[in-house]
Amino acid sequence: MKLVLVRHGESEWNRENRFTGWTDVGLSAEGVREAGEAGRLMKEAGLDFDRCYTSCLKRAIHTLNLALEAMDREWLPVVKSWKLNERHYGALQGLNKSETAEKYGEEQVRIWRRSFDVEPPALDPHDPRNPALQEQYRGVDAAALPLTESLRTTIARAVPYFEQEIRPRVLAGERVLIAAHGNSLRALVMTFEGLTPEQIMGVNLPTGIPLVYEFDRDFHVLQKVFLGDPALVERKMQKVANQGKAGK
């Protein structure tokens, strides 16, 4: 059984090195290119899908749409869920990561970005960035929507959603593609691979690169592989790792 994960292509705020979280920014020109290339890589690898999942944030939605266009699979059914959204970065959203590192230190920013259970400063409930005040989430119980999140709390929404909605389809033989975000996908990777909180801190998912998992019937990982040039994958991973460093 195979499952494919794709982190969205570079967004405008990725390009500007800003904390994005649930801020609904679009893809940069490079992100548009990456999304199309992700589709071409999947097509060249002979991959096809029965159902796709994405978040409620347009950078992931657009990445999925562009990838499916490149595969000539725009007709595939797509399910959107806020539970696949990026981790909510609270009051950090919109801040430049390098400037924040200069102010608070690289170690503090690394903890905010990559630690397992440390939450950034929360939004005030009256802040217009509160998802409970935004149209995308008008049908969601406001009490369920976060004002900040750690990776632990991201896992607490993303993994149960996967277990309830997606895993049964994979087990039934459906071919599934998930286009989402660095941290919602890290939540799945941590679960699939049984990683510790310390190990997940070192995992950086590159933008726009399909990650193909193969599982046995007990959902143990048999194989995982990033599609495309390994050197490019490594450079993109390092770029993600460097985002929280001062002066970068």
Side-chain angles (χ1 to χ4, degrees), residues 39 57-59 146 209 213 227 229:
L57 298 169
K58 61 188 175 186
R59 59 192 186 272
I209 300 288
Y213 276 97
L227 300 184
D229 178 12

Side-chain angles (χ1 to χ4, degrees), residues 33-81:
R33 188 199 66 76
E34 288 179 324
E37 179 64 15
R40 286 187 288 274
L41 286 170
M42 290 187 286
K43 186 174 183 179
E44 288 172 5
L47 294 170
D48 199 358
F49 302 101
D50 301 300
R51 183 176 295 261
C52 308
Y53 290 83
T54 190
S55 72
C56 292
L57 298 169
K58 61 188 175 186
R59 59 192 186 272
I61 295 168
H62 292 173
T63 295
L64 178 59
N65 291 344
L66 290 164
L68 293 180
E69 180 181 8
M71 297 182 73
D72 193 24
R73 287 293 184 270
E74 292 171 278
W75 45 267
L76 284 173
V78 175
V79 179
K80 301 181 182 75
S81 174

Side-chain angles (χ1 to χ4, degrees), residues 199-212:
Q199 289 171 324
I200 197 63
M201 287 183 72
V203 174
N204 295 291
L205 296 179
T207 55
I209 300 288
L211 173 56
V212 183

